[in-house]
Amino acid sequence: GAEDDESGYGDSLYIAPSACLHQEVTTQQLLLIGGAAGVISRTLTAPMDRAKVLLQVQGSRPVLGQTRELNLWGVIKIMGRQGPRSMWKGNTVNCLKIFP
């Protein structure tokens, strides 16, 4: 019947994290969990994304040192000049784009 339908097209989805533990997760909970995972992922990778953007927009005056390659030394130089928090500039906007 309709109660045995595990297709996931109802008000809730059935997720079995283990063979002995069964839990129903609503669509809203899945959206919240997925959004939180996206925000955590973006926040953890924000310094690499920031370094990539700086590398892409640097003109004749290199931002990441004398090289045009993305490396740890260049990121450390930026953090020394602008502070560690500078590596998370724009992260709030990126997180707002991800979170549903």
Side-chain angles (χ1 to χ4, degrees), residues 84-100:
R85 292 185 69 187
S86 68
M87 298 310 291
W88 281 270
K89 282 184 182 176
N91 188 52
T92 303
V93 174
N94 281 331
C95 290
L96 289 174
K97 289 190 301 186
I98 290 175
F99 201 79

Side-chain angles (χ1 to χ4, degrees), residues 14-23:
Y14 176 75
I15 296 177
S18 69
C20 62
L21 179 63
H22 301 288
Q23 180 179 358

Side-chain angles (χ1 to χ4, degrees), residues 74-89:
V75 172
I76 291 170
K77 284 176 127 177
I78 292 171
M79 287 175 35
R81 281 186 257 160
Q82 300 179 7
R85 292 185 69 187
S86 68
M87 298 310 291
W88 281 270
K89 282 184 182 176

Side-chain angles (χ1 to χ4, degrees), residues 11 25-33:
D11 291 331
V25 179
T26 65
T27 304
Q28 291 83 7
Q29 289 172 324
L30 285 175
L31 286 173
L32 183 66
I33 292 166

Side-chain angles (χ1 to χ4, degrees), residues 5-16:
D5 184 23
E6 294 183 19
S7 64
Y9 294 108
D11 291 331
S12 63
L13 299 175
Y14 176 75
I15 296 177

